[in-house]
Amino acid sequence: MILQLGPLKVHSYGFMLALAFLVGIYLAGRAARRVGETQDHVTDLSFWIIVAAVIGSRLFHVLVFWSELQPPRLLSAFKIWEGGLVYYGGFIGAVTASVLFCRLKKIDFWQMADIITPSIALGLMFGRIGCTLVGCCYGKACPADYPLAIVFPPETIGVAGVPLYPTQLLEAAGCLAIALFLWFYLQYHRRFRGQLLLVFIVLYSALRFTLEFWRDDPRGFADLFTFAAAAGQTPAIGGLRGFLLWSGTIHEISSGIYGFYLSESQLVSLVMTLAVVPLWIWKSRRDRRLGVSVAPAPVPDQTPKRAPHSKGKAKRK
């Protein structure tokens, strides 16, 4: 909690989400004006995204951790205040809502996606800072002399008093780098509409897939050898002996038999990255064939026009 004014409590995670929303709308508004889109569309879509992201992130968590929910499970599924939000579920929900919104308003989804994508990346940065403040999404235990180790206090919702890898801060730094790349470079050099969204998916998926090896909070996992799914922590022992065993990617099912485990976020990262390939080919070729422009909207001439000079001298009366 950051601040308390009487009965009003300002929690750190909620504060960071609100900050992400406000900054995101501001940046998306600037990007919209640059390409000739209206600010109203950006503002309206933002509220659609918030609602859909919350529903999607909670639904993803409930599907993965259904067996872990307290009975009655159907009632527990609605207890969002007890935690349990998955980013990829929120992302899928936000994209679905954006497609529906753009169809209703008859505007180009891919253009709008490029407008809001840098804000999504920056919003993730604020969100992971919020995770750091409350202690969720924590990393595995690390050596005490590790220079970037983070130790949470007793009131954390995660693991307290143990040096951990700073997975939240590392993801926040990675998301900031992605946002800066999209905002300062790619939006001025894109070759087709939707390129910012597709590049973001690839970059974030790679970041998330890598950091999952150092995460230690309860998540869902799937064994790619047996296609079995499990919720919660990975088993204590892992596989490909060196890195894979240490990271918990695979584990010993029985004596001498190993399963290859990936978290649900790693599986989604792989699927989304593979999905980008045909989308990239189709969208780039389609825009080139149709001659779709990605240039900024022309700035109207604001120079005041002078009255034309009358030719010759005025006749005297």
Side-chain angles (χ1 to χ4, degrees):
M1 185 172 62
I2 293 179
L3 179 66
Q4 180 172 358
L5 297 174
L8 177 63
K9 296 180 180 180
V10 180
H11 293 276
S12 55
Y13 190 78
F15 175 79
M16 296 308 298
L17 289 183
L19 188 60
F21 177 69
L22 295 175
V23 174
I25 286 183
Y26 171 74
L27 290 180
R30 289 189 58 181
R33 290 192 296 271
R34 179 178 174 273
V35 296
E37 187 56 71
T38 64
Q39 174 74 43
D40 290 343
H41 284 162
V42 172
T43 304
D44 293 344
L45 176 58
S46 298
F47 286 101
W48 280 55
I49 288 177
I50 288 177
V51 175
V54 172
I55 295 175
S57 58
R58 181 59 179 176
L59 182 60
F60 197 110
H61 175 85
V62 169
L63 291 176
V64 173
F65 289 94
W66 176 256
S67 61
E68 305 292 317
L69 297 178
Q70 295 293 329
R73 292 189 177 93
L74 188 59
L75 180 61
S76 296
F78 292 94
K79 295 181 179 179
I80 194 172
W81 56 88
E82 293 183 356
L85 300 175
V86 179
Y87 163 73
Y88 272 130
F91 180 78
I92 295 171
V95 170
T96 303
S98 298
V99 171
L100 294 175
F101 176 86
C102 291
R103 284 186 175 274
L104 289 174
K105 297 293 184 180
K106 294 181 172 55
I107 57 181
D108 187 355
F109 162 76
W110 297 101
Q111 180 82 308
M112 187 61 70
D114 281 349
I115 289 172
I116 66 175
T117 294
S119 297
I120 294 174
L122 196 63
L124 271 169
M125 181 204 72
F126 284 111
R128 288 311 180 195
I129 293 175
C131 292
T132 307
L133 295 175
V134 299
C136 65
C137 305
Y138 51 87
K140 294 181 177 181
C142 65
D145 59 350
Y146 184 67
L148 298 179
I150 185 170
V151 180
F152 291 102
E155 57 270 21
T156 182
I157 66 173
V159 176
V162 178
L164 304 175
Y165 288 107
T167 50
Q168 309 97 322
L169 293 178
L170 290 174
E171 186 169 335
C175 290
L176 176 60
I178 294 173
L180 293 176
F181 171 71
L182 297 176
W183 181 262
F184 288 106
Y185 178 79
L186 192 58
Q187 72 167 332
Y188 299 102
H189 297 85
R190 61 178 182 154
R191 297 183 179 180
F192 59 91
R193 294 184 178 185
Q195 188 176 7
L196 266 73
L197 174 63
L198 299 182
V199 169
F200 165 75
I201 290 174
V202 173
L203 293 179
Y204 179 75
S205 295
L207 174 67
R208 182 64 180 271
F209 188 93
T210 303
L211 289 178
E212 282 287 303
F213 289 120
W214 283 269
R215 288 269 295 266
D216 202 35
D217 54 308
R219 286 156 296 142
F221 292 86
D223 185 351
L224 301 189
F225 288 167
T226 64
F227 300 100
Q233 298 281 8
T234 49
I237 219 175
L240 188 52
R241 303 296 271 187
F243 175 76
L244 293 179
L245 194 147
W246 167 79
S247 67
T249 305
I250 67 178
H251 77 283
E252 190 173 12
I253 300 172
S254 60
S255 180
I257 302 176
Y258 288 86
F260 189 85
Y261 271 77
L262 291 178
S263 71
E264 87 283 350
S265 293
Q266 288 176 315
L267 290 174
V268 175
S269 295
L270 287 176
V271 171
M272 294 186 71
T273 301
L274 293 175
V276 164
V277 176
L279 279 174
W280 186 291
I281 296 173
W282 167 75
K283 193 64 175 62
S284 60
R285 289 180 177 179
R286 179 178 179 274
D287 281 15
R288 186 165 55 250
R289 184 178 69 253
L290 298 178
V292 178
S293 174
V294 295
V299 178
D301 185 9
Q302 310 253 338
T303 306
K305 296 182 179 180
R306 296 180 180 179
H309 295 286
S310 58
K311 295 183 179 179
K313 296 182 179 180
K315 297 182 179 180
R316 294 181 180 177
K317 292 183 180 179

